[in-house]
Amino acid sequence: MPKFVYDFTEGNKDLKDLLGGKGANLAEMTNLGLPVPPGFTITAEACRHYLEHGNLPEGLADEVNAHLAALESEMGKKLGQSDAPLLVSVRSGAKFSMPGMMETVLNVGLNDESVHGLAAQAGDERFAWDSYRRLIQMFGKTVLDIDGDLFEEAVEDVKRARGSDDDVDLTAEDFEELVGRFKGIVREQAGRDFPTDPREQMDLAVEAVFNSWNAPRAILYRRQERIPVDLGTAVNICSMVFGNMGMDSGTGVAFTRDPASGQQGVYGDYLQNAQGEDVVAGIRNTVPLKDLEQIDKASYDRLLEIMETLENHYRDMCDIEFTIERGKLWMLQTRVGKRTAGAAFRIACQLLDQGLIDVDEAARRVTGDQLAQLMFPRFASRVEGVRKLTKGMNASPGAAVGKAVFNSERAVELAGRGEDVILVRRETNPDDLAGMVAAKGVLTSRGGKTSHAAVVARGMGKTCVCGAEELDVDVKNGHFTAPGGVTVAEGDVISIDGTSGDVYLGEVPVEDSPVVQYFEGELSVEEGGDLVKAVDRVMRHADERAALKVRANSDNPGDSARARRFGAAGIGLCRTEHMFLGDRRQLIEELVLAEDDAERQAALDALEPLQRSDFEGIFEAMDGLPVTIRLIDPPLHEFLPDLTELSVRVALAGDDADAKDRRLLEAVNRLHEQNPMLGLRGVRLGLVIPGLFGMQVRAIAEAAAARRRAGGDPRPEIMIPLVGAVQELEAVRDEARAILDGVREATGVDVPALIGTMIELPRAALTAGQIAEAAEFFSFGTNDLTQTTWGFSRDDVEAAFFGRYLELGIFGVSPFETIDRDGVGRLVRIAAEEGRKARPGIKLGICGEHGGDPDSVHFCHEVGLDYVSCSPFRIPVARLEAGRAAIEAADASSGGSDSR
């Protein structure tokens, strides 16, 4: 029978799968001899059993009894003992940090008898009744699913009667009154009395924590952060220590470095005479952690020692929760802290310089998603024409502009319509998660850098300004008032700067970030400051380690030049159909309307010089690097007028309808297809419409020859799309070779060009061995390969049912964002293996937008592809992830990795 309960003295930080992050780290701190209140952890395995079977696993109750008895023996008092009660907290703790998404219940063990024992033990009636009302409030909301606002309204009523707006002014009698009121709320809302048996309280709290794994906000957070759904959560039962025993007590959150910037120093928040949930909730404004030195120097000095110990031990920035009970410091939690993207890069390089990690580890500590955040635009340095309203705390950097909304539901609703919104609250709580995800940014009038809003926003890379105390936020009536009497109502546009903390009325213009300026070559490493230096250092190492090359998806010289500045090793996908838009659409119409070979050739002859000029510009931008050019892929009707619009125009004109419009309508009807994605497109076009592919190949060859005569080094690769059978490829290949030979003879210039194909049909993947005999390279078109493997059209289904599939867990993430490894990925593996077996030197790449997705880049490394290709802006992300993939693969083969 598995072991379901571990004492804090039994675990360690490497048991996160079993004990969750919180439990594993409590055990680690206990092993380090740090002051951790005694307790034990119920494993995530017990949670998984409970969620699967609907009951607690056999043997769990006996293990809990034994560990509780040992805890009672160590503490010298029993759970809920009337004269000197042992009280415990019941807290969630999954493998991956999910701040505020699951449940916590404090002060378990209090009842009508033990409250008097606690008062006598503490010598403080007010503290005891405050602790009791907190238990009923938390238990009611968490375990009995009672609306938390009912309890808050009761607190506000008592404060109004007292003539105060601060909890600190409430007396023991006030809290005793609240206990009575809260019991009434429980009785009325839950249909039962608040349980007074301490063990029943604890058992129900444990089950509530287990159930909270599947709470809607937890599900949403896991989906947002791509956390597996089947991990479950551990439960930590810890003897209570109290920060609300008077002004010599308190609670706080500390970071060993600034989680917003990465700078070293003393960062965090502290709140006297309070419990931990008060700090995280942001209900009461905290003081900076540095102020603790003046309040309690001995505890402050000890805390700094512990922070240094933990950072050196974990070799990373740590996030710490602590409580001071009457001058005694206790550690309640530590974890590797969530941080902004900029802080991640800075901290990785700081730790590298300190000798705590090596350069491979520095690259592992950052991600492509974080690099992408650093590339987002920021507000312009000079802001004119908009009014600055106030300044709050710069909790999570970035520039966000949107309409002010004051509740989560409204944020989701407007964002669903495609509108940008800023969620404005006094403070956020876990129930606001959906709105935080939907919003472009978050603004709160309360809370510090460790409040719920700040911690969750940083984890999501969401812009956040919190603690803007000058704002009077009226959530109920949907507006806030700023200094000077300025009122901002729902729908008014505001701009928030998460880097400076500034809040503006109106839309502030944006400019390129320093990191983008660095990639563009407009800003040197020296001019860019410590952030750009850190990015440059990590990127150079990633490039050194990467096995995968990163190419660009680009169709014009401007994008190609930018891609090269961003580090592209060539072009992996040049979509020639994009060159037929705008004024050139007319020439495609003439090609479609051609009634004989002469008219068709005339249309092709008109297109050829335009194509040749396009290719010359791209070859010049990518001189010396490979350029993969896909011959025209989409069906021709996409270049013609819309069937409905054209039909109406001809019908309304009647007998006066333009002759060309009539011919176009006839052509559109002739080319109309029920499912164009699977119709006359790709290689089929080249085989059915004589001269179309030939014109493109000739333009490529002549452009390459011209560049070679000009002293350039063009390296074209001609890609045939949508091949399903080797015979299709052979027919187009033979025509292309003949044209290439003809251009060589006519110009006297030899420009070698590889000829290959896109693998975007399941049949092509399954017959890749045959196709490789005629193809010099494969490029996996994973967008179409995903559509044809799953049997759905992306344009039709994403809005229709993808949301529901994500809710049901059918998709962990959209297969158009990240490669479906089990289905599409398996086809890619098969094709790569069979292709290499038939042609050992075949070049393999991927050219769908998956090429810029971090997880997909790692998959491509595993499969052994030669390159990935993505849009120019995502090239740095793919470069970083290519290096990280190589480092992680080397770690896996050697058995070494980060052991944080």
Side-chain angles (χ1 to χ4, degrees), residues 24 65 175 198 258 305 314 322 340 342-343 397 457 481 534 548 566-567 596 604 608 625 679 720-721 876 889 899-900:
N65 288 338
F175 285 123
D258 185 351
E305 292 175 5
Y314 282 87
F322 67 93
T340 65
T481 305
L548 280 170
F566 276 31
D596 55 38
L604 292 172
E608 186 177 316
L625 297 175
I720 317 301
S899 59
R900 286 177 297 165

Side-chain angles (χ1 to χ4, degrees), residues 405-734:
V405 295
F406 293 85
N407 63 67
S408 183
E409 294 76 14
R410 187 69 171 150
V412 172
E413 178 186 348
L414 292 184
R417 297 182 199 163
E419 298 186 50
D420 293 341
V421 299
I422 305 293
L423 179 63
V424 183
R425 304 284 287 166
R426 290 194 187 97
E427 69 276 328
T428 63
N429 62 57
D431 293 329
D432 289 318
L433 180 66
M436 295 178 73
V437 171
K440 292 295 181 182
V442 179
L443 170 64
T444 71
S445 60
R446 299 178 183 172
K449 284 191 176 182
T450 57
S451 64
H452 176 269
V455 171
V456 174
R458 275 197 299 272
M460 292 193 298
K462 188 82 64 176
T463 299
C464 178
V465 174
C466 63
E469 299 177 12
E470 292 182 323
L471 301 182
D472 182 8
V473 178
D474 185 344
V475 172
K476 186 175 182 181
N477 293 304
H479 68 262
F480 71 78
T481 305
V486 178
T487 298
V488 175
E490 180 180 297
D492 291 342
V493 174
I494 60 174
S495 301
I496 63 172
D497 188 337
T499 303
S500 67
D502 291 330
V503 180
Y504 300 92
L505 178 61
E507 182 174 348
V508 177
V510 296
E511 63 185 13
D512 283 344
S513 73
V515 171
V516 167
Q517 293 177 44
Y518 152 73
F519 284 127
E520 288 279 18
E522 299 169 356
L523 190 69
S524 70
V525 174
E526 291 71 24
E527 295 169 331
D530 57 354
L531 176 58
V532 169
K533 288 178 182 176
V535 170
D536 174 73
R537 191 173 182 182
V538 172
M539 292 299 295
R540 282 189 286 107
H541 183 67
D543 288 339
E544 288 173 4
R545 293 300 308 267
L548 280 170
K549 298 296 184 184
V550 179
R551 298 192 190 181
N553 296 347
S554 174
D555 320 312
N556 60 72
D559 282 352
S560 301
R562 188 182 205 208
R564 187 161 193 158
R565 292 194 298 272
F566 276 31
I571 289 178
L573 176 61
C574 174
R575 303 175 179 92
T576 55
E577 61 269 14
H578 288 184
M579 300 171 178
F580 296 147
L581 301 177
D583 295 341
R584 301 181 186 183
R585 189 186 294 265
Q586 174 73 26
L587 298 175
I588 296 293
E589 289 183 5
E590 292 176 8
L591 176 65
V592 172
L593 295 177
E595 295 183 351
D596 55 38
D597 291 345
E599 288 185 3
R600 180 181 301 109
Q601 190 59 49
L604 292 172
D605 289 345
L607 281 168
E608 186 177 316
L610 301 176
Q611 287 261 272
R612 184 167 60 244
S613 175
D614 292 333
F615 295 140
E616 282 192 48
I618 293 172
F619 288 147
E620 183 176 3
M622 283 289 167
D623 193 64
L625 297 175
V627 176
T628 303
I629 300 168
R630 181 179 72 185
L631 304 184
I632 189 169
D633 180 38
L636 290 182
H637 77 82
E638 289 193 10
F639 301 97
L640 301 181
D642 177 75
L643 173 61
T644 302
E645 291 179 6
L646 191 58
S647 298
V648 170
R649 190 161 75 223
V650 171
L652 289 176
D655 294 339
D656 297 326
D658 183 79
K660 183 178 180 181
D661 279 350
R662 291 182 183 278
R663 291 176 65 200
L664 274 174
L665 180 58
E666 180 185 343
V668 170
N669 276 309
R670 184 177 73 251
L671 293 172
H672 177 72
E673 296 173 306
Q674 295 299 322
N675 192 341
M677 188 186 81
L678 300 177
L680 182 59
R681 53 169 289 216
V683 67
R684 302 159 196 167
L685 274 176
L687 295 174
V688 170
I689 300 180
L692 178 58
F693 278 9
M695 176 274 293
Q696 291 193 292
V697 172
R698 186 173 297 104
I700 293 168
E702 291 178 350
R707 282 299 307 149
R708 180 76 61 147
R709 285 195 299 269
D713 181 17
R715 300 186 182 184
E717 299 177 351
I718 299 169
M719 182 158 67
I720 317 301
L722 209 74
V723 164
V726 67
Q727 293 87 349
E728 294 172 311
L729 177 59
E730 288 170 340
V732 175
R733 179 203 60 186
D734 292 345

Side-chain angles (χ1 to χ4, degrees), residues 161 212 229 281 397:
S212 71
V229 301

Side-chain angles (χ1 to χ4, degrees), residues 162-182:
R162 173 65 60 184
S164 172
D165 59 1
D166 196 329
D167 292 3
V168 174
D169 295 327
L170 298 183
T171 65
E173 290 74 20
D174 294 328
F175 285 123
E176 186 173 1
E177 178 187 340
L178 280 172
V179 165
R181 288 200 187 195
F182 285 3

